[in-house]
Amino acid sequence: MAEFPTRAIHSGQAPDATTGAVVPPLYLTSTYIQDGIGGMRNGYEYSRSANPTRDSLQELLADLDGGRAAFSFASGLAAEDVLLRSYLAPGASIVMGNDVYGGTYRLASKVHVPWGVRLSTVEMSDLDAVRAALAQTRSGSSTRSGSSTRSGSSTGTGGSTDAAAAAKTVLWIETPTNPLMKIVDIAALAEIGHAAGALVVVDNTFASPYLQQPLSLGADVVVYSTTKYLGGHSDVVGGALVVQDEQVAADVQFLQNSAGAVSGPLDAWLTVRGIKTLAVRMERHSANAQRVAEALVGHPAVERVYYPGLPEHPGHDIAQRQMRSFGGMLSVALAGGPAAARSFAESTEIFALAESLGGVESLIGYPSEMTHASVKGTELAVPENVVRLSVGIEDAGDLVADVEQALTR
C-alpha cells in the first residue's frame, strides 16, 4: 500500500475518463438522465442520494482512515447527529468526556436527551471511572448531565427492536480535546468500551487522519469536522464519518439519504483539494505549534500552556505513542485572569480573532465566550483565563513574535 501522502493525492481521484483531466470534474448537477424508468446510470439518480464528487471524497476519506466506508455531511454536527440517530433510540446511552467540544455536548444534551437518550460525562483519562460509567448504563441508571424519561419509538433504520436499540451505548472519545488538549488512550478505551458492548466513537478533528488513526487503535467510528484540517483553508464547511462495521455503515447511509444533510458537490470538491496537501500542512502546523508552545512556557504572563508536545503535558507519553506528531492546536491560561485573557486574544496581529480552527492562517479565540459559550455553567465550562490558538503555517518566528508582543499589551 502506498504511503499516506501519496494516497491523499490519488485515492478516489482517477483522471477524467473522457478528457484525461488530472483533476476529476466537479459535478454540479442535481439529477441524472435515466435509461428508462428505474434505469439508473452507474447508481446515480439524484444528488442527495449520490454524487460523483461526493463519492470521490468519501472514497478518499475511507482509504485514509482505513475504514469500510465514509460519509460526507454538510457539517461536523450533522455527521454527529446522523450517527447518533442511526445507532441509538430512546432509552439508549451516551458516555462522553467531561471536556468535549461544546457543540457536541449541546447536540447530545439539548437534542438527544429530550428525545430520550441518557447522557453521562466522565473524565476519560480515568479508566476506572469510564468502566463505572459504562456499567451504570448497563444497569439502566443515569449519571450526570440529566437523563430524560420521555418515551418514544425506535427510528428502525437497522431493523433492531426498540428494546435492543434502547440497550445500546456510545462511548464518545475526543483526543486531543477542545480546548484543554487532554490526551486519552484510544486503544485502552476501545477495549473497555467493547467489553461493555459500546460503540466506540473518536472525534479525530484536532489530529486529522495524518496524525492519528483511531480505527487502527480499535475505534468503530471516526468523526471529523472537515471544515478544519481536512479542508484546511477556511473556505468550506463540512463533516464526515468513517465507519468500520458493515451494519453501522448501512444504517448511516440510510439516514444520510433519508435526512439529507449531505455535503454539496462544491464543498466536497474543495475538501478533496484541501486533503491533497494535508500531510505537508500538518507537519508545518505541528512544527509551528511546538515553537509557539515552547516560547510561551515560562513567560511571566502565562500560567500554563496546554500542548501535548511539551514533555510536562499530561498524556504526552500517550500522544507520542498514538500520534505521528502533536498537531497545530494549543491553549494558554493567562496568569492575569479573564481580563488578561481577553486582552491577549484581542491584541495579536497575525493570529486573527475568529471562530473555527485548522486553516492555513493562524486564529485565536476566547473559548468561554466563543466556541464553548454553550457549556458555560456546566461541568464542561472552559476556565475564563484560557485562550485557544490554532497555529497556522506562516513563518514560525513571526508567530512567536506576535504572541510575545500581545502578552505585553
Side-chain angles (χ1 to χ4, degrees):
M1 178 185 293
E3 295 298 320
F4 188 102
T6 303
R7 291 184 286 122
I9 292 171
H10 296 288
S11 183
Q13 308 304 307
D16 180 52
T18 302
T19 66
V22 172
V23 177
L26 168 59
Y27 287 89
L28 289 173
T29 185
S30 61
T31 193
Y32 308 83
I33 294 294
Q34 298 188 21
D35 296 323
I37 297 174
M40 294 187 292
R41 292 190 185 181
N42 300 316
Y44 295 103
E45 59 177 351
Y46 186 59
S47 274
R48 185 193 70 245
S49 302
N51 176 281
T53 308
R54 188 167 74 246
D55 286 349
S56 72
L57 170 59
Q58 293 177 158
E59 182 180 341
L60 174 59
L61 290 169
D63 181 46
L64 294 182
D65 258 303
R68 178 183 296 272
F71 304 92
S72 178
F73 295 87
S75 70
L77 286 170
E80 293 182 6
D81 185 47
V82 164
L83 174 64
L84 294 174
R85 284 193 290 137
S86 68
Y87 188 75
L88 300 177
S93 300
I94 306 169
V95 176
M96 63 174 47
N98 60 6
D99 59 343
V100 298
Y101 165 55
T104 298
Y105 180 79
R106 179 181 58 208
L107 173 68
S109 64
K110 301 299 185 183
V111 177
H112 290 275
V113 166
W115 180 45
V117 172
R118 294 188 305 242
L119 172 64
S120 303
T121 57
V122 65
E123 173 54 59
M124 281 286 171
S125 62
D126 185 341
L127 300 185
D128 288 335
V130 175
R131 289 189 186 94
L134 290 169
Q136 285 187 298
T137 68
R138 294 198 300 275
S139 68
S141 62
S142 174
T143 56
R144 304 174 191 167
S145 303
S147 64
S148 170
T149 56
R150 179 186 295 186
S151 61
S153 60
S154 169
T155 56
T157 59
S160 301
T161 65
D162 287 352
K168 291 180 176 179
T169 299
V170 166
L171 178 61
W172 193 280
I173 301 166
E174 187 178 300
T175 183
T177 63
N178 180 3
L180 299 182
M181 306 304 297
K182 289 184 181 179
I183 303 295
V184 297
D185 190 328
I186 296 173
L189 287 169
E191 184 176 348
I192 291 169
H194 291 151
L199 183 77
V200 178
V201 179
V202 176
D203 184 338
N204 201 37
T205 297
F206 268 27
S208 86
Y210 180 66
L211 297 185
Q212 188 166 263
Q213 296 270 298
L215 297 182
S216 71
L217 297 171
D220 300 304
V221 182
V222 182
V223 175
Y224 292 105
S225 170
T226 57
T227 310
K228 312 306 193 297
Y229 286 109
L230 288 164
H233 294 77
S234 302
D235 57 7
V236 61
V237 174
L241 301 172
V242 185
V243 179
Q244 198 69 286
D245 181 81
E246 184 175 0
Q247 185 59 57
V248 173
D251 291 347
V252 167
Q253 185 175 38
F254 173 86
L255 198 53
Q256 181 195 40
N257 180 52
S258 299
V262 297
S263 58
L266 179 57
D267 293 339
W269 189 91
L270 287 170
T271 305
V272 169
R273 182 210 59 183
I275 291 173
K276 290 180 180 182
T277 60
L278 179 64
V280 292
R281 285 189 289 106
M282 293 310 297
E283 293 284 357
R284 182 63 173 263
H285 283 298
S286 297
N288 281 1
Q290 187 77 35
R291 284 275 304 276
V292 172
E294 290 173 354
L296 291 170
V297 170
H299 193 288
V302 173
E303 177 182 291
R304 180 176 177 181
V305 179
Y306 301 87
Y307 185 65
L310 298 174
E312 63 270 25
H313 184 83
H316 171 75
D317 293 341
I318 296 172
Q320 277 191 312
R321 186 168 68 246
Q322 70 185 19
M323 297 177 72
R324 190 191 301 257
S325 188
F326 302 109
M329 298 299 302
L330 64 93
S331 292
V332 182
L334 277 296
R342 286 174 174 269
S343 175
F344 176 50
E346 294 176 342
S347 297
T348 53
E349 297 172 355
I350 297 175
F351 283 83
L353 180 64
E355 300 271 356
S356 200
L357 59 100
V360 293
E361 65 289 303
S362 293
L363 302 177
I364 191 168
Y366 185 57
S368 179
E369 298 292 342
M370 295 173 66
T371 56
H372 289 66
S374 64
V375 295
K376 288 189 70 172
T378 74
E379 180 188 8
L380 284 77
V382 178
E384 294 184 358
N385 68 332
V386 168
V387 173
R388 190 188 73 182
L389 290 83
S390 174
V391 182
I393 64 172
E394 302 96 338
D395 179 79
D398 289 339
L399 296 178
V400 169
D402 189 33
V403 295
E404 289 179 339
Q405 67 82 25
L407 289 171
T408 63
R409 294 285 182 96

